[in-house]
Amino acid sequence: MSLAGKKIILGVSGSIAAYKAALIVRGLIREGAEVRVLMTPSATDFISPLTLATLSRHAVVTSVHSGESWNNHVELGLWADAYLIAPATATTLAKLAQGLCDSALVAVYLSARCPVFFAPAMDVDMWLHPATRQNVEKLQSYGNHLIDVDSGELASGLVGQGRLAEPEAILDVLRAHFNRRQDLAGRRLLITAGPTHEDLDPVRYLGNRSTGKMGIALAEAAAARGATVDLILGPTHLSTSAPGVTVIPVRTAREMHESALDRWPMATDGILCAAVADYRPESVAPEKIKKTEGDFALTLIRNPDIAADLGRDKRPDQFLVGFALETENGIENARGKLERKGLDLIVLNSPRVPGAAFGHDTNQIQLIDRNKVTSFELKAKREVADDILDRLPPNRTP
């Protein structure tokens, strides 16, 4: 598949490999893409903005503001179908990872809603340094795509990893992205995510450590593969504005239960990723509970079971996925939940695995159905989301 009609931003940072940006722009234009080029100030020491402006047929942006004019980084970030940063130096990787917004390149990155690809270029020891490795991993955990370095002779005279990938290889990555499968087109997914909060009084609640990152990653990945997604999201500071995703904010388990049951008849598939409170206070105090002498007893009552109720109402043409967070006897407990609640697949993870479960950008899962257990290594939650979505069955006839 060609790149004809695609809107591509190319961000160029200050590396000796910046000369390859001209070849990248030429390749994109030759395939019919529309290209806008951003350059860091240091990049202009290695290749002229005039060269890239001539090849791209558009003025090159080197600053958020240029003299009297204002370059709207938000508008540019919304315009693009993909943002490619090549070459990405060690400094640029660090700024992107930390959100240090001191250039048009980083400003547009922070505003972009499109997929972001970054192709590093630096000397071998810089590439292998733990700080660089950590920045690369952090960028990948945000859902950005690494175009890995090549090995060979470097500008320093050393031989090793760190060379910018060849322009044609970079274009191949973009072609593959735009040719990605739309295997979920026509499907409507119901996804729950985040925690629930159960009120004790006007200022306190029972909750948990869920941030909603895994569920949001699932929603964005499903939409990218063509699905329409209803994301029922508990109280969290995170959200998504991805095209194809409708966010339904809720607060309590009962609100999430009601929203899920309302939308389940329209769904083809459900993924219940939320960390829903099993219990809530029997009564909510109308005023703040004051501290008194002695202990305080709290009576809790059961919340409705979203997974069990959706599993009970599941049609033969619907597929239901649940999550199990377990600290012991994980596979046994997850299989029991799978059977009791009428699930088709269950995702098992554990907070005891470093970097997994609540609050992390990564997760390590096992997928369990009635026939087998499939284990995965620790990886970015967006990649985990695709592993889960890969297990949805092909389109079914009701």
Side-chain angles (χ1 to χ4, degrees):
M1 178 178 179
S2 75
L3 298 170
K6 301 303 179 185
K7 300 173 182 177
I8 311 293
I9 300 172
L10 174 63
V12 184
S13 59
S15 162
I16 189 66
Y19 76 91
K20 292 185 179 180
L23 301 176
I24 295 171
V25 173
R26 281 193 65 184
L28 291 169
I29 293 296
R30 186 182 298 120
E31 293 211 17
E34 191 173 352
V35 183
R36 300 288 192 277
V37 179
L38 309 174
M39 300 179 72
T40 63
S42 61
T44 64
D45 294 332
F46 294 92
I47 185 170
S48 165
L50 178 60
T51 298
L52 297 181
T54 301
L55 292 172
S56 67
R57 304 166 191 166
H58 291 281
V60 170
V61 176
T62 58
S63 173
V64 174
H65 53 84
S66 304
E68 301 278 331
S69 65
W70 169 261
N71 297 308
N72 192 329
H73 59 90
V74 175
E75 182 177 317
L76 193 56
L78 296 176
W79 169 83
D81 295 313
Y83 185 7
L84 168 65
I85 302 171
T89 62
T91 296
T92 295
L93 293 178
K95 290 178 179 179
L96 295 171
Q98 301 301 321
L100 183 57
C101 190
D102 66 344
S103 68
L105 187 152
V106 181
V108 172
Y109 164 73
L110 293 175
S111 302
R113 295 184 181 177
C114 61
V116 176
F117 300 81
F118 62 101
M122 64 198 72
D123 207 66
V124 57
D125 295 308
M126 298 171 68
W127 174 246
L128 297 177
H129 195 281
T132 303
R133 307 310 309 151
Q134 186 176 55
N135 288 331
V136 168
E137 290 168 6
K138 183 171 286 190
L139 286 172
Q140 289 180 289
S141 77
Y142 296 158
N144 303 310
H145 305 276
L146 168 66
I147 302 176
D148 211 353
V149 297
D150 282 345
S151 295
E153 186 175 355
L154 305 168
S156 65
L158 297 174
V159 175
Q161 294 177 298
R163 287 169 57 95
L164 178 68
E166 291 302 317
E168 188 58 32
I170 292 173
L171 294 181
D172 281 343
V173 171
L174 293 179
R175 292 187 195 103
H177 166 74
F178 288 113
N179 197 32
R180 71 186 186 278
R181 52 200 167 143
Q182 291 287 287
D183 57 326
L184 298 181
R187 304 277 277 274
R188 182 166 185 168
L189 270 64
L190 168 66
I191 298 176
T192 65
T196 62
H197 289 174
E198 311 299 328
D199 289 329
L200 290 170
D201 62 22
V203 298
R204 300 184 182 93
Y205 60 85
L206 299 178
N208 57 59
R209 296 185 177 92
S210 174
T211 61
K213 287 182 179 180
M214 188 68 251
I216 290 171
L218 278 161
E220 292 177 341
R225 290 166 66 162
T228 298
V229 180
D230 290 326
L231 176 63
I232 303 175
L233 185 60
T236 173
H237 66 287
L238 301 175
S239 189
T240 180
S241 56
V245 179
T246 299
V247 178
I248 302 98
V250 297
R251 188 165 184 276
T252 67
R254 285 176 290 176
E255 290 173 353
M256 186 172 285
H257 178 265
E258 180 180 358
S259 292
L261 261 63
D262 283 347
R263 288 164 177 78
W264 183 227
M266 287 81 76
T268 57
D269 309 89
I271 304 179
L272 306 180
C273 186
V276 185
D278 293 323
Y279 299 91
R280 69 180 186 273
E282 183 177 37
S283 61
V284 179
E287 305 294 341
K288 179 184 175 184
I289 300 170
K290 305 298 291 183
K291 181 170 65 176
T292 60
E293 295 297 328
D295 296 330
F296 173 74
L298 182 65
T299 301
L300 301 177
I301 58 175
R302 284 286 301 268
N303 270 323
D305 191 321
I306 298 172
D309 288 349
L310 267 58
R312 177 200 63 211
D313 296 341
K314 179 167 65 74
R315 300 187 308 265
D317 62 300
Q318 290 177 307
F319 192 85
L320 186 58
V321 181
F323 269 67
L325 182 70
E326 301 289 346
T327 58
E328 59 181 354
N329 302 322
I331 293 177
E332 178 184 349
N333 290 336
R335 277 198 166 127
K337 184 175 181 179
L338 179 84
E339 295 293 339
R340 289 193 312 274
K341 303 192 179 187
L343 304 174
D344 297 294
L345 180 72
I346 195 160
V347 183
L348 172 64
N349 56 175
S350 171
R352 298 195 188 281
V353 175
F358 292 159
H360 297 285
D361 296 317
T362 52
N363 203 359
Q364 184 180 50
I365 64 167
Q366 292 177 290
L367 295 180
I368 302 170
D369 60 21
R370 287 169 176 78
N371 300 312
K372 64 181 179 179
V373 177
T374 307
S375 299
F376 297 84
E377 72 275 11
L378 186 75
K379 58 178 72 176
K381 284 184 172 175
R382 182 59 182 266
E383 295 179 80
V384 173
D386 277 318
D387 289 334
I388 296 168
L389 295 172
D390 286 344
R391 290 291 294 274
L392 297 182
N395 286 325
R396 304 170 299 283
T397 301

